[in-house]
Amino acid sequence: MTRITNESSVSAARAVLLGNYRSAPFVFSEGQGCRLKDVEGKSYLDLCAGIAVVSVGHCHPELTRAIAEQAGRLMHVSNLFFNDRCIELAQELVSRTPFSKFFFCNSGAEANETLLKLARRHHYEHGAKQRTTIITAQGSFHGRSMGALTMTAQPKYQEGMAPLVGDVEHVPFGDVAALRQRINERTAALILEPVQGEGGVVAASPEYLRAAREICDAAGALFMLDEVQTGYGRTGRFLAQAWSGVVPDACALAKGIAGGFPLGAVGVRPVLEKSLPPGSHGTTYGGNALACAAALAVLRIFDREKLVENAERVGTYLGARLEALAADATLPAAADARGIGLLRGISVASGFDPGAIVADIRKRGVLVSIAGGTVLRFSPPLCVTEAEIAEGLTAVEAALRAATRVATPGS
Ligand code: PLP
């Protein structure tokens, strides 16, 4: 019998899958908690969690059981009707967040498309048809569908995709003066990430978020948060908005919400409850019973295992360890530490190759990702322990120590 290897599986993958991803040459086939196994049986410590998605760890037995049971009872009826699991999930989210109503979809991009449409349609419904401008921040990431891509203010993602959606503007992230200058009677909404995840794990200051809320209120514009990466416990609060106390008019969620099962959501404050009238927006799979049952199981696991609290506690430990690495004068490849809770990063100093360092960390059996081109990002399952973080950082430190300066032109 031919042995399945990573190499043969990668060749098989490249033969049939489009080349739009830069997937590393690992093929995983099993997971448990914070560990993944590749097709050759080699185990890895997963500090990436499918980019902040696998919130309760791989194959949590309660989540697995909930999905299996729901699959045997009811999966999908479409939004021509209601289903019981969708109602229960919305009730749970209403009780845990500042939002009074929810809309469900299937991904982060879809949730952000919803924010965009919700903002424009809200003003249209209120007779302010000139309010169509959507403002987002430079360095942001909101997804890859055309609306979300236009909101994503990073040219590399937009290359070759023009024409983009009209009337979307970008401001420098963290710059209050720019908000004052740009938000006006034509602005439909300002949409920000509390921490720019893909942009390099860059946190907005509470003062910036408070100023943003005030400026939007004064101008009659909506203020919305994209919590696709930061939401659902990732930063040590159920939503990252809790750190600043700033309540947006609407908020996008996805990633960790169903522990790996595709689901997105938008929560709205009362002001927006009537802004998407019947027929104005929708998606076939949105709020299907199977995805909602998975999300309900995730919430039960959060409560019983105190995973949001764990994200804060272990996240503080991770942050302190990253600070120490960044401050270590014998590690010139490590620049600065950043992030909140279990969304953390350490930037790689210029002159070193972040891609080579991440590849070396992976060779040492630990999975982390790169954000913003130069930042080693840590977004582990929220059940990660200090011992697992310590184990992972041993590999990270070794790779940073082994990193050599890349030749720069003229050197
Ligand atoms: N918004 C943020 C803040 C994200 O980090 C991402 C994905 O990384 C998205 C939106 C897009 O989510 P999805 O890939 O599920 O469409």
Side-chain angles (χ1 to χ4, degrees):
M1 205 173 76
T2 354
R3 207 168 72 84
I4 296 174
T5 61
N6 271 305
E7 206 184 331
S8 64
S9 299
V10 168
S11 312
R14 293 198 170 133
V16 290
L17 295 175
L18 271 186
N20 57 310
Y21 297 111
R22 284 194 195 87
S23 307
F26 299 85
V27 183
F28 293 109
S29 54
E30 273 178 60
Q32 201 69 73
C34 293
R35 309 274 165 184
L36 278 172
K37 246 187 212 167
D38 69 15
V39 287
E40 295 178 14
K42 181 172 174 194
S43 177
Y44 292 80
L45 177 64
D46 184 8
L47 301 185
C48 172
I51 320 183
V53 167
V54 186
S55 47
V56 297
H58 294 282
C59 301
H60 191 293
E62 184 168 348
L63 177 56
T64 307
R65 204 176 327 112
I67 292 172
E69 279 175 12
Q70 189 63 43
R73 187 178 304 136
L74 179 70
M75 283 199 238
H76 175 81
V77 294
S78 88
N79 290 295
L80 295 176
F81 311 97
F82 296 105
N83 77 73
D84 51 359
R85 292 289 99 89
C86 176
I87 301 166
E88 278 172 57
L89 179 59
Q91 286 169 337
E92 278 291 338
L93 292 180
V94 165
S95 76
R96 289 166 193 255
T97 69
F99 305 109
S100 55
K101 290 207 172 170
F102 276 81
F103 163 82
F104 294 110
C105 51
N106 310 287
S107 69
E110 249 191 291
N112 284 318
E113 290 287 333
T114 304
L115 292 186
L116 190 160
K117 290 178 69 178
L118 178 62
R120 287 187 176 165
R121 186 68 187 239
H122 170 78
H123 295 297
Y124 174 91
E125 294 292 323
H126 288 80
K129 293 188 182 155
Q130 84 289 356
R131 276 197 188 269
T132 50
T133 309
I134 303 292
I135 300 182
T136 64
Q138 285 163 10
S140 62
F141 186 88
H142 298 289
R144 309 277 199 151
S145 55
M146 285 314 266
L149 179 68
T150 311
M151 287 157 58
T152 294
Q154 295 196 59
K156 67 176 177 188
Y157 295 110
Q158 299 178 344
E159 188 182 349
M161 300 298 181
L164 299 172
V165 170
D167 211 6
V168 176
E169 297 180 2
H170 305 132
V171 289
F173 189 52
D175 182 340
V176 175
L179 295 180
R180 280 195 217 293
Q181 206 186 8
R182 298 285 280 283
I183 294 175
N184 56 34
E185 70 293 338
R186 291 198 21 82
T187 310
L190 169 68
I191 305 177
L192 297 173
E193 293 160 88
V195 181
Q196 290 192 333
E198 298 309 301
V201 194
V202 186
S205 70
E207 296 73 36
Y208 176 62
L209 294 173
R210 279 183 214 121
R213 173 80 266 187
E214 278 168 28
I215 293 164
C216 287
D217 284 347
L222 294 165
F223 177 60
M224 299 176 161
L225 287 177
D226 174 353
E227 291 232 29
V228 165
Q229 191 152 155
T230 56
Y232 245 71
R234 173 67 38 203
T235 69
R237 293 288 180 273
F238 190 67
L239 297 179
Q241 59 75 220
W243 288 110
S244 64
V246 171
V247 178
D249 297 304
C251 166
L253 294 169
K255 288 204 183 274
I257 185 167
F261 201 94
L263 178 66
V266 166
V268 305
R269 300 277 299 155
V271 64
L272 290 172
E273 278 182 11
K274 297 200 166 63
S275 299
L276 284 177
S280 61
H281 188 54
T283 174
T284 299
Y285 294 115
N288 73 80
L290 188 53
C292 293
L296 284 163
V298 165
L299 291 176
R300 286 196 301 272
I301 296 165
F302 270 24
D303 292 346
R304 207 187 45 249
E305 298 184 5
K306 304 217 172 320
L307 292 190
V308 182
E309 294 83 341
N310 193 63
E312 182 177 13
R313 196 175 53 75
V314 180
T316 302
Y317 170 74
L318 171 59
R321 292 285 314 267
L322 293 177
E323 293 284 354
L325 290 179
D328 186 338
T330 69
L331 278 180
D336 70 289
R338 66 264 301 273
I340 315 177
L342 285 175
L343 180 55
R344 300 264 174 188
I346 186 162
S347 65
V348 172
S350 74
F352 292 87
D353 177 357
I357 294 172
V358 163
D360 188 12
I361 295 169
R362 288 174 180 166
K363 256 197 223 142
R364 294 169 195 268
V366 177
L367 305 176
V368 298
S369 56
I370 298 188
T374 56
V375 177
L376 310 181
R377 173 178 42 186
F378 301 81
S379 57
L382 304 185
C383 57
V384 73
T385 62
E386 283 188 12
E388 285 164 332
I389 293 290
E391 177 190 336
L393 290 180
T394 302
V396 170
E397 182 175 346
L400 286 167
R401 213 168 276 292
T404 49
R405 280 185 197 278
V406 287
T408 46
S411 66

mmCIF file of all heavy atoms in Angstrom, residues 247-287:
data_model
loop_
_atom_site.group_PDB
_atom_site.id
_atom_site.type_symbol
_atom_site.label_atom_id
_atom_site.label_comp_id
_atom_site.label_asym_id
_atom_site.label_seq_id
_atom_site.Cartn_x
_atom_site.Cartn_y
_atom_site.Cartn_z
ATOM 1 N N VAL A 247 -20.068 51.542 22.758
ATOM 2 C CA VAL A 247 -21.069 50.650 22.163
ATOM 3 C C VAL A 247 -21.349 51.112 20.732
ATOM 4 O O VAL A 247 -21.819 52.228 20.520
ATOM 5 C CB VAL A 247 -22.367 50.656 23.004
ATOM 6 C CG1 VAL A 247 -23.417 49.767 22.347
ATOM 7 C CG2 VAL A 247 -22.077 50.173 24.421
ATOM 8 N N PRO A 248 -21.059 50.260 19.760
ATOM 9 C CA PRO A 248 -21.338 50.652 18.369
ATOM 10 C C PRO A 248 -22.823 50.472 18.050
ATOM 11 O O PRO A 248 -23.552 49.817 18.800
ATOM 12 C CB PRO A 248 -20.494 49.668 17.572
ATOM 13 C CG PRO A 248 -20.443 48.446 18.434
ATOM 14 C CD PRO A 248 -20.487 48.918 19.867
ATOM 15 N N ASP A 249 -23.249 51.019 16.928
ATOM 16 C CA ASP A 249 -24.642 50.826 16.506
ATOM 17 C C ASP A 249 -24.855 49.417 15.958
ATOM 18 O O ASP A 249 -25.968 48.904 15.985
ATOM 19 C CB ASP A 249 -25.001 51.861 15.435
ATOM 20 C CG ASP A 249 -24.906 53.271 15.992
ATOM 21 O OD1 ASP A 249 -25.576 53.542 17.009
ATOM 22 O OD2 ASP A 249 -24.132 54.084 15.449
ATOM 23 N N ALA A 250 -23.768 48.836 15.439
ATOM 24 C CA ALA A 250 -23.847 47.463 14.932
ATOM 25 C C ALA A 250 -22.465 46.853 14.982
ATOM 26 O O ALA A 250 -21.456 47.569 15.037
ATOM 27 C CB ALA A 250 -24.381 47.449 13.500
ATOM 28 N N CYS A 251 -22.439 45.539 14.931
ATOM 29 C CA CYS A 251 -21.160 44.842 15.094
ATOM 30 C C CYS A 251 -21.181 43.557 14.284
ATOM 31 O O CYS A 251 -22.198 42.855 14.259
ATOM 32 C CB CYS A 251 -21.021 44.553 16.585
ATOM 33 S SG CYS A 251 -19.771 43.381 17.011
ATOM 34 N N ALA A 252 -20.073 43.277 13.595
ATOM 35 C CA ALA A 252 -19.956 42.048 12.802
ATOM 36 C C ALA A 252 -19.187 40.998 13.599
ATOM 37 O O ALA A 252 -18.169 41.299 14.213
ATOM 38 C CB ALA A 252 -19.221 42.342 11.493
ATOM 39 N N LEU A 253 -19.682 39.760 13.558
ATOM 40 C CA LEU A 253 -19.026 38.631 14.234
ATOM 41 C C LEU A 253 -18.876 37.481 13.243
ATOM 42 O O LEU A 253 -19.671 37.356 12.306
ATOM 43 C CB LEU A 253 -19.883 38.139 15.397
ATOM 44 C CG LEU A 253 -20.096 39.071 16.584
ATOM 45 C CD1 LEU A 253 -21.184 38.508 17.496
ATOM 46 C CD2 LEU A 253 -18.796 39.255 17.342
ATOM 47 N N ALA A 254 -17.887 36.628 13.461
ATOM 48 C CA ALA A 254 -17.766 35.376 12.684
ATOM 49 C C ALA A 254 -16.681 34.540 13.370
ATOM 50 O O ALA A 254 -16.722 34.397 14.590
ATOM 51 C CB ALA A 254 -17.444 35.652 11.216
ATOM 52 N N LYS A 255 -15.729 34.046 12.610
ATOM 53 C CA LYS A 255 -14.596 33.262 13.125
ATOM 54 C C LYS A 255 -14.942 32.308 14.269
ATOM 55 O O LYS A 255 -15.468 31.240 14.027
ATOM 56 C CB LYS A 255 -13.451 34.212 13.505
ATOM 57 C CG LYS A 255 -12.774 34.805 12.251
ATOM 58 C CD LYS A 255 -11.376 35.225 12.524
ATOM 59 C CE LYS A 255 -10.692 35.888 11.349
ATOM 60 N NZ LYS A 255 -10.076 34.969 10.428
ATOM 61 N N GLY A 256 -14.679 32.705 15.547
ATOM 62 C CA GLY A 256 -14.818 31.757 16.662
ATOM 63 C C GLY A 256 -16.237 31.421 17.063
ATOM 64 O O GLY A 256 -16.457 30.583 17.931
ATOM 65 N N ILE A 257 -17.221 32.043 16.454
ATOM 66 C CA ILE A 257 -18.609 31.973 16.930
ATOM 67 C C ILE A 257 -19.153 30.541 17.008
ATOM 68 O O ILE A 257 -19.899 30.216 17.915
ATOM 69 C CB ILE A 257 -19.502 32.907 16.066
ATOM 70 C CG1 ILE A 257 -20.938 32.981 16.562
ATOM 71 C CG2 ILE A 257 -19.485 32.528 14.632
ATOM 72 C CD1 ILE A 257 -21.738 34.125 15.920
ATOM 73 N N ALA A 258 -18.770 29.697 16.069
ATOM 74 C CA ALA A 258 -19.282 28.317 16.104
ATOM 75 C C ALA A 258 -18.125 27.316 16.169
ATOM 76 O O ALA A 258 -18.282 26.153 15.804
ATOM 77 C CB ALA A 258 -20.201 28.050 14.921
ATOM 78 N N GLY A 259 -16.984 27.780 16.650
ATOM 79 C CA GLY A 259 -15.858 26.898 16.945
ATOM 80 C C GLY A 259 -15.221 26.239 15.728
ATOM 81 O O GLY A 259 -14.456 25.290 15.860
ATOM 82 N N GLY A 260 -15.516 26.698 14.542
ATOM 83 C CA GLY A 260 -14.950 26.101 13.333
ATOM 84 C C GLY A 260 -16.037 25.798 12.303
ATOM 85 O O GLY A 260 -15.755 25.593 11.119
ATOM 86 N N PHE A 261 -17.275 25.774 12.751
ATOM 87 C CA PHE A 261 -18.386 25.614 11.810
ATOM 88 C C PHE A 261 -18.670 26.992 11.214
ATOM 89 O O PHE A 261 -18.681 27.982 11.944
ATOM 90 C CB PHE A 261 -19.619 25.077 12.551
ATOM 91 C CG PHE A 261 -20.583 24.419 11.618
ATOM 92 C CD1 PHE A 261 -20.525 23.057 11.403
ATOM 93 C CD2 PHE A 261 -21.521 25.170 10.929
ATOM 94 C CE1 PHE A 261 -21.396 22.445 10.513
ATOM 95 C CE2 PHE A 261 -22.387 24.572 10.037
ATOM 96 C CZ PHE A 261 -22.327 23.209 9.825
ATOM 97 N N PRO A 262 -18.871 27.113 9.896
ATOM 98 C CA PRO A 262 -19.058 28.444 9.295
ATOM 99 C C PRO A 262 -20.332 29.139 9.785
ATOM 100 O O PRO A 262 -21.426 28.584 9.681
ATOM 101 C CB PRO A 262 -19.166 28.154 7.791
ATOM 102 C CG PRO A 262 -18.603 26.792 7.621
ATOM 103 C CD PRO A 262 -18.878 26.047 8.901
ATOM 104 N N LEU A 263 -20.146 30.332 10.336
ATOM 105 C CA LEU A 263 -21.276 31.143 10.799
ATOM 106 C C LEU A 263 -20.794 32.575 10.976
ATOM 107 O O LEU A 263 -19.700 32.802 11.482
ATOM 108 C CB LEU A 263 -21.808 30.604 12.151
ATOM 109 C CG LEU A 263 -22.972 31.379 12.789
ATOM 110 C CD1 LEU A 263 -24.230 31.275 11.944
ATOM 111 C CD2 LEU A 263 -23.277 30.838 14.192
ATOM 112 N N GLY A 264 -21.603 33.507 10.538
ATOM 113 C CA GLY A 264 -21.329 34.922 10.787
ATOM 114 C C GLY A 264 -22.570 35.546 11.397
ATOM 115 O O GLY A 264 -23.662 34.972 11.328
ATOM 116 N N ALA A 265 -22.397 36.711 12.007
ATOM 117 C CA ALA A 265 -23.553 37.361 12.634
ATOM 118 C C ALA A 265 -23.356 38.868 12.629
ATOM 119 O O ALA A 265 -22.232 39.360 12.607
ATOM 120 C CB ALA A 265 -23.722 36.874 14.070
ATOM 121 N N VAL A 266 -24.481 39.567 12.661
ATOM 122 C CA VAL A 266 -24.460 41.017 12.864
ATOM 123 C C VAL A 266 -25.427 41.323 13.994
ATOM 124 O O VAL A 266 -26.590 40.887 13.966
ATOM 125 C CB VAL A 266 -24.878 41.769 11.578
ATOM 126 C CG1 VAL A 266 -25.180 43.229 11.876
ATOM 127 C CG2 VAL A 266 -23.767 41.671 10.540
ATOM 128 N N GLY A 267 -24.926 42.033 14.997
ATOM 129 C CA GLY A 267 -25.788 42.479 16.087
ATOM 130 C C GLY A 267 -26.070 43.957 15.906
ATOM 131 O O GLY A 267 -25.187 44.707 15.482
ATOM 132 N N VAL A 268 -27.295 44.383 16.210
ATOM 133 C CA VAL A 268 -27.638 45.807 16.041
ATOM 134 C C VAL A 268 -28.272 46.367 17.313
ATOM 135 O O VAL A 268 -28.910 45.640 18.081
ATOM 136 C CB VAL A 268 -28.595 46.072 14.854
ATOM 137 C CG1 VAL A 268 -28.039 45.506 13.564
ATOM 138 C CG2 VAL A 268 -29.996 45.527 15.125
ATOM 139 N N ARG A 269 -28.093 47.680 17.505
ATOM 140 C CA ARG A 269 -28.761 48.407 18.580
ATOM 141 C C ARG A 269 -30.184 48.762 18.099
ATOM 142 O O ARG A 269 -30.463 48.716 16.898
ATOM 143 C CB ARG A 269 -27.983 49.693 18.892
ATOM 144 C CG ARG A 269 -26.557 49.447 19.322
ATOM 145 C CD ARG A 269 -26.432 49.119 20.791
ATOM 146 N NE ARG A 269 -26.913 50.205 21.621
ATOM 147 C CZ ARG A 269 -27.372 50.045 22.864
ATOM 148 N NH1 ARG A 269 -27.437 48.822 23.392
ATOM 149 N NH2 ARG A 269 -27.765 51.077 23.567
ATOM 150 N N PRO A 270 -31.061 49.156 19.031
ATOM 151 C CA PRO A 270 -32.452 49.453 18.632
ATOM 152 C C PRO A 270 -32.559 50.417 17.455
ATOM 153 O O PRO A 270 -33.448 50.266 16.612
ATOM 154 C CB PRO A 270 -33.048 50.044 19.909
ATOM 155 C CG PRO A 270 -32.287 49.359 21.009
ATOM 156 C CD PRO A 270 -30.876 49.209 20.488
ATOM 157 N N VAL A 271 -31.636 51.377 17.342
ATOM 158 C CA VAL A 271 -31.724 52.370 16.260
ATOM 159 C C VAL A 271 -31.744 51.722 14.870
ATOM 160 O O VAL A 271 -32.307 52.283 13.916
ATOM 161 C CB VAL A 271 -30.561 53.401 16.386
ATOM 162 C CG1 VAL A 271 -29.206 52.723 16.187
ATOM 163 C CG2 VAL A 271 -30.707 54.539 15.403
ATOM 164 N N LEU A 272 -31.161 50.517 14.771
ATOM 165 C CA LEU A 272 -31.061 49.873 13.457
ATOM 166 C C LEU A 272 -32.028 48.693 13.284
ATOM 167 O O LEU A 272 -31.997 48.017 12.254
ATOM 168 C CB LEU A 272 -29.625 49.388 13.229
ATOM 169 C CG LEU A 272 -28.597 50.498 13.013
ATOM 170 C CD1 LEU A 272 -27.185 49.927 12.986
ATOM 171 C CD2 LEU A 272 -28.880 51.232 11.701
ATOM 172 N N GLU A 273 -32.867 48.480 14.277
ATOM 173 C CA GLU A 273 -33.714 47.281 14.220
ATOM 174 C C GLU A 273 -34.620 47.229 12.991
ATOM 175 O O GLU A 273 -34.942 46.163 12.495
ATOM 176 C CB GLU A 273 -34.586 47.203 15.477
ATOM 177 C CG GLU A 273 -33.863 46.604 16.654
ATOM 178 C CD GLU A 273 -34.768 46.491 17.868
ATOM 179 O OE1 GLU A 273 -35.987 46.688 17.745
ATOM 180 O OE2 GLU A 273 -34.222 46.209 18.956
ATOM 181 N N LYS A 274 -35.020 48.429 12.492
ATOM 182 C CA LYS A 274 -35.976 48.420 11.368
ATOM 183 C C LYS A 274 -35.312 48.828 10.054
ATOM 184 O O LYS A 274 -35.997 49.102 9.072
ATOM 185 C CB LYS A 274 -37.125 49.374 11.683
ATOM 186 C CG LYS A 274 -37.926 48.941 12.901
ATOM 187 C CD LYS A 274 -39.309 49.596 12.902
ATOM 188 C CE LYS A 274 -40.252 48.953 13.879
ATOM 189 N NZ LYS A 274 -39.852 49.062 15.271
ATOM 190 N N SER A 275 -33.966 48.849 10.063
ATOM 191 C CA SER A 275 -33.285 49.435 8.896
ATOM 192 C C SER A 275 -33.129 48.489 7.718
ATOM 193 O O SER A 275 -32.770 48.925 6.626
ATOM 194 C CB SER A 275 -31.922 49.983 9.326
ATOM 195 O OG SER A 275 -32.136 50.982 10.303
ATOM 196 N N LEU A 276 -33.351 47.211 7.911
ATOM 197 C CA LEU A 276 -33.346 46.288 6.766
ATOM 198 C C LEU A 276 -34.750 45.694 6.647
ATOM 199 O O LEU A 276 -35.054 44.629 7.203
ATOM 200 C CB LEU A 276 -32.306 45.173 6.958
ATOM 201 C CG LEU A 276 -30.839 45.551 6.745
ATOM 202 C CD1 LEU A 276 -29.922 44.362 7.037
ATOM 203 C CD2 LEU A 276 -30.576 46.069 5.326
ATOM 204 N N PRO A 277 -35.628 46.377 5.918
ATOM 205 C CA PRO A 277 -37.011 45.889 5.814
ATOM 206 C C PRO A 277 -37.085 44.554 5.062
ATOM 207 O O PRO A 277 -36.122 44.164 4.403
ATOM 208 C CB PRO A 277 -37.727 47.012 5.042
ATOM 209 C CG PRO A 277 -36.658 47.833 4.428
ATOM 210 C CD PRO A 277 -35.399 47.621 5.185
ATOM 211 N N PRO A 278 -38.202 43.860 5.174
ATOM 212 C CA PRO A 278 -38.329 42.544 4.538
ATOM 213 C C PRO A 278 -37.913 42.581 3.066
ATOM 214 O O PRO A 278 -38.315 43.478 2.324
ATOM 215 C CB PRO A 278 -39.820 42.220 4.680
ATOM 216 C CG PRO A 278 -40.243 42.988 5.895
ATOM 217 C CD PRO A 278 -39.410 44.238 5.910
ATOM 218 N N GLY A 279 -37.084 41.643 2.678
ATOM 219 C CA GLY A 279 -36.641 41.547 1.286
ATOM 220 C C GLY A 279 -35.394 42.340 0.971
ATOM 221 O O GLY A 279 -34.811 42.186 -0.104
ATOM 222 N N SER A 280 -34.918 43.194 1.886
ATOM 223 C CA SER A 280 -33.792 44.079 1.556
ATOM 224 C C SER A 280 -32.442 43.383 1.655
ATOM 225 O O SER A 280 -31.446 43.868 1.120
ATOM 226 C CB SER A 280 -33.807 45.300 2.477
ATOM 227 O OG SER A 280 -33.662 44.907 3.832
ATOM 228 N N HIS A 281 -32.372 42.265 2.352
ATOM 229 C CA HIS A 281 -31.089 41.586 2.515
ATOM 230 C C HIS A 281 -31.360 40.148 2.943
ATOM 231 O O HIS A 281 -32.417 39.873 3.533
ATOM 232 C CB HIS A 281 -30.259 42.310 3.595
ATOM 233 C CG HIS A 281 -28.846 41.807 3.698
ATOM 234 N ND1 HIS A 281 -27.994 41.733 2.638
ATOM 235 C CD2 HIS A 281 -28.136 41.348 4.770
ATOM 236 C CE1 HIS A 281 -26.818 41.257 3.031
ATOM 237 N NE2 HIS A 281 -26.887 41.008 4.325
ATOM 238 N N GLY A 282 -30.417 39.252 2.686
ATOM 239 C CA GLY A 282 -30.628 37.874 3.122
ATOM 240 C C GLY A 282 -29.567 36.953 2.578
ATOM 241 O O GLY A 282 -28.701 37.361 1.795
ATOM 242 N N THR A 283 -29.606 35.709 3.022
ATOM 243 C CA THR A 283 -28.684 34.693 2.540
ATOM 244 C C THR A 283 -29.284 33.323 2.845
ATOM 245 O O THR A 283 -29.820 33.109 3.941
ATOM 246 C CB THR A 283 -27.283 34.861 3.169
ATOM 247 O OG1 THR A 283 -26.463 33.768 2.773
ATOM 248 C CG2 THR A 283 -27.314 34.944 4.690
ATOM 249 N N THR A 284 -29.232 32.426 1.879
ATOM 250 C CA THR A 284 -29.953 31.159 1.996
ATOM 251 C C THR A 284 -29.619 30.384 3.270
ATOM 252 O O THR A 284 -30.487 29.955 4.003
ATOM 253 C CB THR A 284 -29.658 30.260 0.770
ATOM 254 O OG1 THR A 284 -30.112 30.947 -0.389
ATOM 255 C CG2 THR A 284 -30.380 28.923 0.879
ATOM 256 N N TYR A 285 -28.311 30.208 3.528
ATOM 257 C CA TYR A 285 -27.916 29.358 4.662
ATOM 258 C C TYR A 285 -27.964 30.077 6.005
ATOM 259 O O TYR A 285 -27.779 29.447 7.047
ATOM 260 C CB TYR A 285 -26.475 28.872 4.471
ATOM 261 C CG TYR A 285 -26.262 27.944 3.316
ATOM 262 C CD1 TYR A 285 -25.467 28.320 2.237
ATOM 263 C CD2 TYR A 285 -26.817 26.673 3.317
ATOM 264 C CE1 TYR A 285 -25.236 27.464 1.185
ATOM 265 C CE2 TYR A 285 -26.591 25.809 2.257
ATOM 266 C CZ TYR A 285 -25.799 26.204 1.200
ATOM 267 O OH TYR A 285 -25.570 25.351 0.165
ATOM 268 N N GLY A 286 -28.115 31.405 5.991
ATOM 269 C CA GLY A 286 -27.959 32.203 7.212
ATOM 270 C C GLY A 286 -28.834 31.726 8.351
ATOM 271 O O GLY A 286 -30.053 31.619 8.208
ATOM 272 N N GLY A 287 -28.223 31.456 9.505
ATOM 273 C CA GLY A 287 -28.980 31.041 10.683
ATOM 274 C C GLY A 287 -29.495 29.618 10.595
ATOM 275 O O GLY A 287 -30.457 29.269 11.294
#
